[in-house]
Amino acid sequence: MSQDMHFDLVILGILVAFIVYSLLTRAVDRSLLTLPIIFMCLGYGLSEPLRNAAPPEILNEGKRLLAEVTLVLVLFSDASHVQFSQLKQSWRLPARMLLIGLPLSIALGMLVTWLISPEGGLAMALLTAAVLTPTDAALGQNVVTSANVPEKLSETINVESGLNDGLVLPFVLLGAILASAGMADANTGGLALKAVLQIVLGPLAGIATGWVVARLMDVAQARRLIAASAEGVVFLAASFAAYVLAGAIGGNGFIAAFVAGMIFGNSYKHNIRFVREFMEGAGLLLTMSSFLVFGALLLPDGLAHASIKTVVIAVMFLTVVRVGAIWLSLTGSGLKTSEKLFLGWFGPRGLASILFTLVIIDEFEFPNEAELLACVSMTVALSILVHGLSSTPLARWIGKR
């Protein structure tokens, strides 16, 4: 069998898996299995056939492109759904977790990583903690959608996961730049200036893009110039316009996409349902592809470099780091102990950590890349399993409490 035919058969198998899963989505929702579990395991099983069928350069370019496209759309979409007007009614819990819990998670995670693996240095500890801080509500989707879970808890989880991936971006960027500055041929001054420009100019590009597109959309809606089928195209173009504009002026495109989504969602005066509808289709396909790529290309490499240290770091991030930081951030909030533990536990690591790792490793050169990959791979894989399998039982438990 020729290599081209081998590659075609592997791709055909992946497409068949997408079709079968889509046909059985409701049945899967009623089980303990989740999309990340299914496609991580499928990807891991296809790892060898995929590597044998495609040249390494094609796989590397493909996974980087997938990471960038998915991350831009996820950041823009998540931010666009966070309405400032609604947050006025229920902002306290998400604000505590984002403004207190997120920095505490990064600081505590950085300390834990440095104590367990001091040879990596503080910069790599910061990068590891930042990459492993954002949460992914999709891994515990049954918690967000379950009628058993009190609305204040499910809404808090949803808002936190929608915002923390964008808020943690400057920390990821700072960690990557500081870690790469330690390389012998790094231009420290140039990297520092680049970091400042990216963090400052990225939001400016996002604000401009989000506001202008929202105003144009409002005019088009008011005058009935736009067809419903074209609304998703505007969403897609706006998210990438912010990303490209930021890159053109020296800003960070991912920060720009996040800020643009937030400005767009709060400036657009008509129904924003088309963003949700677009992400339910195209976003689902990208999510399936991302977890499959994680299982096929990242997880095997991560396991190959895994050690006792990386396993301990992964377990600590899913337990002590996350639960401890959230517990402290919710002190004095009036929540019961069971509710604090519930919010602390459901901080699963998933898509954002995977995509940040793919982009950062490809864009920067820094020491101990293999250990970072192992830490992320172990943390995400464990999170996919334990949070996915525990979401339904714990949703019922908190409902009874």
Side-chain angles (χ1 to χ4, degrees):
M1 183 186 300
S2 66
Q3 187 177 25
D4 288 343
M5 183 177 293
H6 189 190
F7 181 73
D8 290 342
L9 289 176
V10 172
I11 298 301
L12 178 61
I14 292 172
L15 295 175
V16 169
F18 288 169
I19 293 171
V20 172
Y21 174 83
S22 300
L23 293 172
L24 300 175
T25 44
R26 288 189 176 180
V28 172
D29 288 342
R30 293 192 294 267
S31 71
L32 289 177
L33 295 177
T34 62
L35 181 154
I37 291 176
I38 292 171
F39 284 95
M40 178 185 70
C41 294
L42 175 64
Y44 189 74
L46 289 175
S47 177
E48 283 302 317
L50 191 59
R51 290 171 187 267
N52 292 334
E57 58 273 14
I58 292 180
L59 293 179
N60 289 333
E61 288 296 325
K63 71 181 182 183
R64 170 64 190 266
L65 178 62
L66 175 65
E68 289 188 339
V69 169
T70 306
L71 190 53
V72 168
L73 291 176
V74 166
L75 288 168
F76 188 94
S77 174
D78 285 352
S80 69
H81 287 114
V82 178
Q83 298 296 306
F84 296 150
S85 58
Q86 294 177 3
L87 284 179
K88 290 179 182 179
Q89 308 299 323
S90 57
W91 62 272
R92 288 178 177 81
L93 294 180
R96 280 173 170 267
M97 295 173 70
L98 290 167
L99 300 180
I100 302 174
L102 187 147
L104 277 177
S105 294
I106 294 176
L108 186 56
M110 179 179 173
L111 177 62
V112 166
T113 304
W114 182 73
L115 289 175
I116 295 174
S117 183
E119 63 274 9
L122 288 174
M124 280 302 296
L126 170 61
L127 177 58
T128 303
V131 167
L132 291 176
T133 291
T135 60
D136 185 355
L139 271 67
Q141 190 63 31
N142 291 340
V143 170
V144 178
T145 58
S146 175
N148 295 317
V149 179
E151 186 177 353
K152 66 177 180 180
L153 299 184
S154 59
E155 182 67 16
T156 297
I157 292 172
N158 215 17
V159 172
E160 186 212 5
S161 67
L163 287 176
N164 62 13
D165 46 4
L167 295 177
V168 84
L169 261 171
F171 295 98
V172 174
L173 182 62
L174 177 63
I177 289 174
L178 290 176
S180 62
M183 301 295 285
D185 58 347
N187 181 355
T188 306
L191 288 172
L193 178 61
K194 178 182 178 182
V196 173
L197 290 176
Q198 289 204 344
I199 293 173
V200 172
L201 297 178
L204 293 179
I207 292 170
T209 304
W211 189 85
V212 169
V213 174
R215 295 276 68 79
L216 292 175
M217 279 281 287
D218 280 327
V219 171
Q221 287 279 14
R223 298 185 180 181
R224 297 186 178 182
L225 299 174
I226 184 171
S229 58
E231 293 174 340
V233 176
V234 175
F235 156 69
L236 183 66
S239 58
F240 285 104
Y243 178 82
V244 173
L245 176 60
I249 64 175
N252 183 269
F254 299 115
I255 296 177
F258 178 76
V259 174
M262 187 174 295
I263 297 300
F264 178 86
N266 287 277
S267 301
Y268 183 58
K269 302 187 184 305
H270 291 77
N271 196 316
I272 202 171
R273 68 184 185 282
F274 60 87
V275 174
R276 184 176 290 105
E277 291 170 355
F278 182 92
M279 289 302 290
E280 284 177 354
L284 180 64
L285 182 62
L286 288 172
T287 302
M288 290 190 289
S289 302
S290 296
F291 282 108
L292 188 141
V293 166
F294 169 70
L297 302 180
L298 265 72
L299 185 56
D301 290 343
L303 291 175
H305 296 98
S307 64
I308 297 297
K309 287 183 179 181
T310 56
V311 173
V312 172
I313 290 173
V315 172
M316 291 291 285
F317 267 93
L318 295 177
T319 55
V320 174
V321 172
R322 164 69 185 185
V323 177
I326 296 303
W327 179 283
L328 290 173
S329 72
L330 296 174
T331 300
S333 64
L335 290 180
K336 300 175 183 177
T337 299
S338 58
E339 292 173 325
K340 292 179 185 177
L341 291 173
F342 187 81
L343 290 175
W345 172 246
F346 279 106
R349 308 315 199 277
L351 201 56
S353 296
I354 296 169
L355 300 177
F356 284 154
T357 304
L358 283 172
V359 172
I360 290 299
I361 286 181
D362 191 67
E363 188 169 336
F364 292 90
E365 291 291 335
F366 43 77
N368 295 338
E369 282 188 7
E371 185 172 276
L372 173 67
L373 179 60
C375 287
V376 173
S377 299
M378 293 301 302
T379 306
V380 173
L382 287 174
S383 183
I384 287 173
L385 293 174
V386 298
H387 289 112
L389 295 175
S390 66
S391 58
T392 299
L394 288 183
R396 294 171 183 162
W397 172 77
I398 198 69
K400 292 178 181 178
R401 298 283 295 185

